[in-house]
Amino acid sequence: MESLTALCDTFFPSIYSSSMIATATTTTTDDDDDDAASIMSTFYKYSASMAGTPERVGGLICERLQHPKKWLIRLSLYLLSTWIGTFVLCGLPSISPSFPYFQRFSQISQNKREQILLSWSASFFHLLRMLFKTIKLLIPLVFFSQVDEKNENLTWKAIGYPGPDPAALKRQTCRLPKTLYARIKDDDDDVFEDEQDYKEEHLFGPLYRGLINLNLPRDIVADSLRQLEFPVFIRHRKNVNSSLDSSTSTPSLVIKCDAVVVGSGSGGGVVAGVLAKAGYKVLVLEKGNYFARNNLSLLEGPSMDQMYLGGGMLASDDTGVVVLAGSTVGGGSTINWSASIKTPQHVINEWSESYDLELFNSKLYKEALDVVCEKMGVQSDIHEEGFNNAVLRRGCEELGYPVNTIPRNSAPDHYCGWCCFGCKDGRKKGTCETWLMDLVNSGNGALLPGCEAIKVLHKRKKGKDRRTAAGVAFGFEYNGMKDLCVVESKVTIVACGALSTPALLKASGLRNANIGKHLHLHPVTMAWGCFPGAPNSSTAWPEEQKKSYEGGIMTAMSTVVANFKESGYGAVIQTPALHPGMFSGLMPWISGADIKRRMCRFSRTAHVFALARDRGSGTVHSPSSINYRMDAEDEKNLQKGLEKTLRILAAAGAEEIGTHHSTGKCLNVKKVSFHEFERFVKEESARPLRDLRGQICSAHQMGSCRMGVNPKESVVNQMGETWEVEGLFVADTSVFPTALGVNPMVTVQAIAYWICHVLAKQTKIETVGRLHVKEGNIRNGISPSKQ
């Protein structure tokens, strides 16, 4: 803890420079002078240890962080607590000119500690670069996202951040109409029931009638399921302390249903909703928890911890790629950035021609795309564009680059930058607001949050060449101990996402060599531009009141280096959602004073990124073990995209621009010549991206159980069914044959919708969802001989 505290205070020390505080005060706020000076003084004097950051980081490392190289942090902290270990890791800067000469890390001066950390970031030794990268992500993320008992952070006023969306919180307090309780007094029982449903939906969320709380006693859980007409058998026994894998023969509950769906995101949610509406009894298992609109905090730290896989702290094995993935009811559709782009035609052509998957060029698939877009309310109008997207659009227009409006599954006036923590008013139509609502409203489905699938059960049937899926065994915590249940089903659909599905299939005994391979991540690299407001700029743009964290997260996109018309492999240019924790963790760090200066400009710093459709791929062993090294061609595409993003930011009027490279170089665009600007752009965009000195992120994972026509090259056939186990389907982004190149939500929902069509035909249910409306077209989509 002594070493960790010293590291945290090296990143965020107490600074008592009156000139620095005065400069920050005059350039970042126009509030009352005395208040502004006080706020800035507090911010600069506030160190990480004063905020309790070391204890929080220590807790994360011990309890939350899961990574194959976690031992590196533990070993380093131990070495830094000894003088000899400090000398080994830090070298000559750790030596004092006076006796006893050798020092522990905590005894070294602030300036020298900063020099040591910078030497790690550029070290010849790969492990030292990994160490710097890891702590540089963790410590700032915690420092700027941690909250006290009042859900506040002492730094937020200084950096111009309000915390949770004030507009959403205001709307929430006005949500219940004043006449609600008056109407309850009406003698009409139906009215009373409607009002009661309305109240419960407001308090517990729109899915409350289909949620099963596994923390309740087994008898109550069983009764809840029986009320929904699921056969349930209780086996009274002691809780299981040993490995659940060895005890699947003695579950405490056995539940029977027609279809069990593992995962409730864009794939699983569609399958569950459509099948339940068609008459199936459907049970959905979800590892994450359900957060009703009323219970969303919109706080960055708690939201990431509760709603993201691994608490938002996943990274590839070499820490080269930071990976964000949803882990809550609704999956990625609950915390994504609203982009709803149909499968590009060049991708459809490649999948249908190069991979012989005729599904994608069929009328059925085109209809499925239309159906899911209609269900989500996808549209392309924008009443007002947010800060980052306005910058991207204006920069592209100034340079003559193509720029398009991104379709979104939200209303034109949905001006929300907090949707990455869930949608407070439900106007972003993820699966919680669409397909899972169908599941609940049908009366044929139930959703079990907070449980983890352990293995898919399958058995051999007479006359069958391959095994047949029989259900799923899942575990959960009850009274602080592990318990196990079994779902027996006719059909099993796995939709855990490209990071979790391979591990579940392997744990279930599947041996296909392609499981976990061919993982694509859509690697992303970013550039930033600062747009100061008044009083330094007489013509502040974007408008002074606009902030970088507000507005629709994704509304504009450029395809200037996408290469759609040639190879189809390039990069699209879009904008991210970055709140203080992630912003500070990604921005370059060159000193404690510099990062505080950068953070004072947080609310007026725009980010634009390049996202590559990667040819290269990796392997996922488990959600916490991802082996991925970017292909050289993908690196070139990102470098081309990075060059364009820097030019876009400058053309839009940024005063200062830079990237996330560890050198922290930036350029004041207003004070340099054309030649200096060109040299900077070319040098910064040409820097290597695979040496851990830059920052690569991923919010899309796909391809790890890919679809194909040959079991030697794929995991599932084009109906989504695994080659090894009959009745076991996969319906998430892991089935993508290649990287998609754009946001995957619409594509995975269309594939899941197609899988519902297959299930309907196999089980002789003639109508599933809307498929019966155009049955003639569907039959013509894929010829029977090629199904």
Side-chain angles (χ1 to χ4, degrees), residues 538-550:
S538 58
T539 57
W541 187 90
E543 295 80 359
E544 183 184 340
Q545 72 273 14
K546 285 195 172 183
K547 307 300 181 184
S548 61
Y549 48 83
E550 295 176 334

Side-chain angles (χ1 to χ4, degrees), residues 348 352 357-369 718 754 777-778 780-783:
I348 288 176
S352 60
L357 296 169
E358 296 187 0
L359 150 69
F360 293 102
N361 211 20
S362 68
K363 291 181 181 179
L364 173 61
Y365 187 70
K366 290 181 175 63
E367 181 188 342
L369 290 171
Q718 70 173 326
W754 152 250
N777 291 342
I778 292 167
N780 294 329
I782 301 178
S783 61

Side-chain angles (χ1 to χ4, degrees), residues 472-530:
V472 174
F474 68 91
F476 60 97
E477 284 200 6
Y478 176 68
N479 285 342
M481 304 181 74
K482 291 182 178 179
D483 205 350
L484 177 132
C485 292
V486 163
V487 180
E488 295 180 357
S489 64
K490 300 172 184 175
V491 176
T492 301
I493 301 97
V494 174
C496 312
L499 298 181
S500 299
T501 290
L504 178 58
L505 296 186
K506 287 182 178 179
S508 305
L510 277 71
R511 299 179 180 179
N512 188 300
N514 296 287
I515 296 175
K517 294 183 178 179
H518 314 295
L519 175 72
H520 299 282
L521 293 181
H522 278 176
V524 162
T525 187
M526 302 188 201
W528 57 267
C530 185

Side-chain angles (χ1 to χ4, degrees), residues 98-116:
S98 57
F99 186 80
Y101 308 119
F102 293 97
Q103 305 174 94
R104 299 191 306 275
F105 185 77
S106 59
Q107 297 172 320
I108 303 172
S109 68
Q110 171 71 18
N111 286 339
K112 285 192 173 182
R113 291 205 307 263
E114 289 183 351
Q115 293 174 23
I116 290 166

Side-chain angles (χ1 to χ4, degrees), residues 161-181:
Y161 183 68
D165 182 7
L169 296 180
K170 184 178 180 180
R171 286 194 300 270
Q172 179 179 314
T173 59
C174 302
R175 180 156 184 165
L176 281 173
K178 294 180 180 179
T179 58
L180 175 63
Y181 297 105

